[in-house]
Amino acid sequence: MKKILVANRGEIAIRVMTTAQKMGIKTVAVYSTIDRNAPHVKFADEAVCIGEAPSNQSYLLGSKIIEVAQQLQVDAIHPGYGFLSENADFAAAVEKNNLIFIGPKPNAIQVMGSKLAAKEAVKAYDIPMVPGIDQAITDVNKAKAIAKDIGYPILIKASAGGGGKGMRVVEKEEELESQMQRAISEATSAFGDGSVFIEKYVASPRHIEIQVMADSHGNVIHLFERECSVQRRHQKVVEEAPSAVLTPELRSRMGEAAVKVAKACDYIGAGTVEFLLDEKHNFYFLEMNTRLQVEHPVTELITGTDLVELQIKVARGEKLPITQEDLTIQGHALELRVYAEDPLNDFLPSVGHLDIYQIPVGDGIRVDNGFEEGMDIPIYYDPMLAKLITYGKTREEAIQLMIKAIAEYHVEGVETTLPFGKFVCEHEAFRSGNFDTHFVKKHYSAEKIKETTAAEAKIAALMAMKHYQNDQKILRLPVSE
C-alpha cells in the first residue's frame, strides 16, 4: 500500500493522513470548492477538487472519489467517519474497482446499519438486549399491545436511525399514536426508511461503548470502553476512557459481548459496539458503528495504540500485531468535541469567521484540529472545529488538565462548546462519576454558564482594581533622601 485517498475533510482527514505519512504512505486529499484552502488540503501530498460546497455535490459523490483514486493510482480509500464511511454500496464499489476499502466488508456495514438486522444477527450469541420487539411495525393497535406487554415508558426508534432522529419516548398509551406517526415521518424524511420498532425505555442509562478491532485471520480483540453519556440532542459532546463505573469483571463481560457482536457479522477492521448500562449495571446491546469513531483518541491514549495504523495494517491483510492479553488500561483520557455552536443558545450552530484561533499545547494535551485562524466556518458541514483531548495518570488529573486546556484555547469570531466543557468538568455530578445520559437535561442551563462567567468577570475586575491600588501606593511612596 503506497498511496491512500482520504474521502473526508477537517480533523479526521488530517488524523488519518498523519498516520499514513508516519507509515511511509503517500496521501491524497479530496475537497469541495469552499474547502480549497482548508488545512487537510495543504497537509496531503496531492489534492483534487471534487465538486461544489454542498456534500451531495462533493464529499458524498462516491463514483467521483473512486474516479480520482484510479486517476492518481491510489491503492486504498479511507472514509474517516460520517459521509460515506457507513455506506455499504460505496464500500462495494471501491472493492469492485480493485481498490482497498479501509473498513469492514460491505455485508457487515449493511447488517449493522439496520438496528433490526443487527439485533437479528447477534440474537444467536446470547447478548443482552433491551426488552422489545425485533421487527418493524406500523400498526398502532399492535404497537399498543406490545407496549402494554413490556410496560411504559417505551422508546420508538427508527430502524435506519442515528443522531436521535426518528426517536420518541412515550410515557403513556394516549401519546403512542401521535408519537409513532411523528417517528415514522421523521425517519422517512431523514433516512428514506420509515420503519420503526419499539423497546423498553431505560430510564437512567449510561452510554458505554467498546472499541473492537478484527483482522482477516479470525482474530478479534476489544480495547476496553469509552463513557459517552454527556450528550446534547442524543449526540455526544464529552467522552472519556475508561468509565468511572465499570468494575474489571463488568468490563470483561462487556468486552466479550462486543467481540461476539463483531464475530456475528464477520467483522474486519475498527468498529464500536454500543451498549446501554442501566442504574443496576445491567448492560444491553444498542448498535454497532462500522467505522472509526469521533472519540477514538481516548482509547488510543489509555492503550498506547494507533487505531488508524491498525486499520491500515488489517486492510493490507496483516495479522493484528497485538493480542487481548497485551492490552492494559494506563491512565485516563477525556475528550471534548469543540463545536462551533452556542451553548448559551440551545447549541445552535455558530457560523462565522475565526478572527482568533489559538489551540492549547503541553504535556497530556492533544488537539485533533481541522481549522486555523482566519478561516470561515462553512455552513454545509458538521460544525466541529476540533477535538480537545487530555490525558493524566488519574481521572482527576485528566479533568483538571482539561479545565486548564479549555482556559488556554482562544477562539474569537464564533461561539464554541468550550464553556460547556468547562461547566461539565467543574460539575459535581460529573466529577463524582454519578451521571447518566440526562446530564444536560438535569444539570445544565445557559443561565448557569452566564452566572459563572459573570462571577469570574467580577473577581477578575476586583483583582485588577486591587493590583491598580497597590501600584498607586508604590508610586505615592515618598522618595527617601
Side-chain angles (χ1 to χ4, degrees):
M1 199 183 285
K2 294 187 174 70
K3 196 190 280 191
I4 288 175
L5 182 149
V6 182
N8 219 297
R9 64 183 295 279
E11 63 83 19
I12 189 58
I14 295 172
R15 164 73 196 89
V16 173
M17 290 174 195
T18 302
T19 288
Q21 290 185 4
K22 182 181 79 177
M23 296 173 77
I25 300 168
K26 296 283 186 193
T27 58
V28 176
V30 290
Y31 62 93
S32 67
T33 48
I34 205 163
D35 277 342
R36 189 175 299 279
N37 298 311
H40 81 278
V41 175
K42 299 172 194 171
F43 194 90
D45 296 299
E46 297 174 82
V48 178
C49 181
I50 51 166
E52 296 301 316
S55 53
N56 63 358
Q57 294 174 40
S58 50
Y59 297 106
L60 290 173
L61 295 178
S63 56
K64 176 75 174 171
I65 289 166
I66 290 168
E67 189 184 306
V68 168
Q70 288 174 318
Q71 285 169 358
L72 297 182
Q73 296 178 315
V74 161
D75 302 301
I77 294 178
H78 194 302
Y81 51 71
F83 294 134
L84 296 166
S85 63
E86 292 179 283
N87 185 312
D89 292 339
F90 176 66
V94 169
E95 289 190 346
K96 194 177 167 189
N97 284 280
N98 299 316
L99 297 162
I100 297 167
F101 181 74
I102 302 176
K105 296 295 172 196
N107 183 58
I109 297 174
Q110 197 159 9
V111 168
M112 290 298 160
S114 160
K115 289 183 174 66
L116 290 175
K119 286 188 171 197
E120 188 61 38
V122 304
K123 204 188 271 182
Y125 287 78
D126 198 26
I127 291 160
M129 307 263 197
V130 178
I133 56 153
D134 49 11
Q135 64 194 60
I137 190 166
T138 48
D139 184 325
V140 175
N141 289 327
K142 195 176 175 185
K144 282 179 179 175
I146 292 158
K148 209 169 196 173
D149 189 38
I150 60 176
Y152 287 92
I154 60 155
L155 188 63
I156 300 170
K157 290 172 89 171
S159 178
K165 293 183 176 72
M167 198 183 279
R168 289 284 182 278
V169 177
V170 183
E171 302 282 352
K172 44 189 185 286
E173 192 176 290
E174 303 86 86
E175 300 169 359
L176 182 63
E177 189 165 350
S178 64
Q179 294 288 41
M180 196 165 157
Q181 295 309 328
R182 280 186 190 175
I184 289 169
S185 165
E186 201 172 286
T188 305
S189 61
F191 312 111
D193 177 356
S195 55
V196 298
F197 64 103
I198 290 172
E199 63 184 30
K200 178 76 179 163
Y201 178 61
V202 180
S204 300
R206 292 178 82 114
H207 188 133
I208 307 280
E209 60 188 31
I210 306 280
Q211 176 72 55
V212 294
M213 184 69 71
D215 63 23
S216 52
H217 304 273
N219 302 301
V220 188
I221 58 170
H222 71 83
L223 294 95
F224 312 113
E225 81 279 4
R226 293 185 288 257
E227 168 78 66
C228 306
S229 298
V230 179
Q231 307 176 359
R232 51 101 182 89
R233 294 195 294 273
H234 298 286
Q235 289 188 318
K236 306 159 193 170
V237 193
V238 177
E239 300 106 344
E240 63 180 309
S243 166
V245 293
L246 259 59
T247 61
E249 188 267 339
L250 183 54
R251 176 174 293 121
S252 176
R253 278 172 42 222
M254 290 181 79
E256 284 165 17
V259 166
K260 284 179 183 175
V261 171
K263 286 179 175 173
C265 64
D266 297 321
Y267 201 79
I268 293 173
T272 296
V273 182
E274 307 208 349
F275 295 99
L276 284 183
L277 188 74
D278 71 16
E279 63 271 27
K280 293 177 183 168
H281 290 188
N282 299 307
F283 66 89
Y284 307 99
F285 171 68
L286 193 59
E287 63 182 335
M288 184 177 194
N289 289 309
T290 54
R291 54 172 164 79
L292 197 66
Q293 292 278 91
V294 175
E295 57 274 20
H296 75 272
V298 292
T299 297
E300 294 185 321
L301 289 170
I302 67 157
T303 57
T305 56
D306 180 332
L307 292 175
V308 176
E309 185 177 346
L310 291 178
Q311 279 188 302
I312 292 170
K313 285 181 173 178
V314 163
R316 290 197 301 212
E318 295 175 29
K319 270 188 178 178
L320 280 172
I322 46 175
T323 65
Q324 195 65 59
E325 291 67 40
D326 295 330
L327 291 162
T328 55
I329 295 172
Q330 302 290 333
H332 199 97
L334 203 61
E335 175 180 292
L336 168 65
R337 301 188 188 191
V338 184
Y339 285 106
E341 292 179 346
D342 187 357
L344 302 183
N345 188 16
D346 199 28
F347 294 96
L348 289 174
S350 174
V351 293
H353 184 76
L354 290 173
D355 302 326
I356 292 177
Y357 190 70
Q358 295 163 2
I359 61 177
V361 292
D363 289 345
I365 297 172
R366 166 177 164 177
V367 184
D368 284 16
N369 179 41
F371 282 82
E372 56 192 29
E373 198 167 281
M375 285 181 69
D376 290 317
I377 311 294
I379 58 168
Y380 302 97
Y381 316 116
D382 182 89
M384 192 166 72
L385 302 176
K387 299 177 316 205
L388 175 58
I389 309 115
T390 56
Y391 175 76
K393 289 192 284 292
T394 63
R395 185 171 187 264
E396 292 71 25
E397 195 179 308
I399 290 172
Q400 285 309 115
L401 190 53
M402 178 62 80
I403 294 168
K404 177 177 179 284
I406 289 169
E408 293 170 2
Y409 204 134
H410 299 301
V411 184
E412 285 185 23
V414 297
E415 299 303 322
T416 73
T417 48
L418 287 165
F420 174 74
K422 180 174 184 282
F423 172 85
V424 173
C425 288
E426 290 178 343
H427 199 283
E428 181 51 33
F430 182 75
R431 295 178 80 94
S432 68
N434 183 24
F435 61 95
D436 56 33
T437 53
H438 304 306
F439 177 90
V440 169
K441 192 162 71 176
K442 282 181 187 171
H443 305 296
Y444 175 73
S445 71
E447 282 62 44
K448 286 178 181 172
I449 284 191
K450 285 175 188 167
E451 283 165 21
T452 307
T453 308
E456 285 171 356
K458 191 176 178 182
I459 291 164
L462 288 169
M463 285 174 70
M465 177 58 76
K466 195 167 173 51
H467 280 302
Y468 174 74
Q469 287 169 344
N470 287 341
D471 289 345
Q472 291 303 305
K473 276 182 197 168
I474 292 163
L475 287 171
R476 286 195 217 101
L477 283 175
V479 181
S480 55
E481 294 291 327

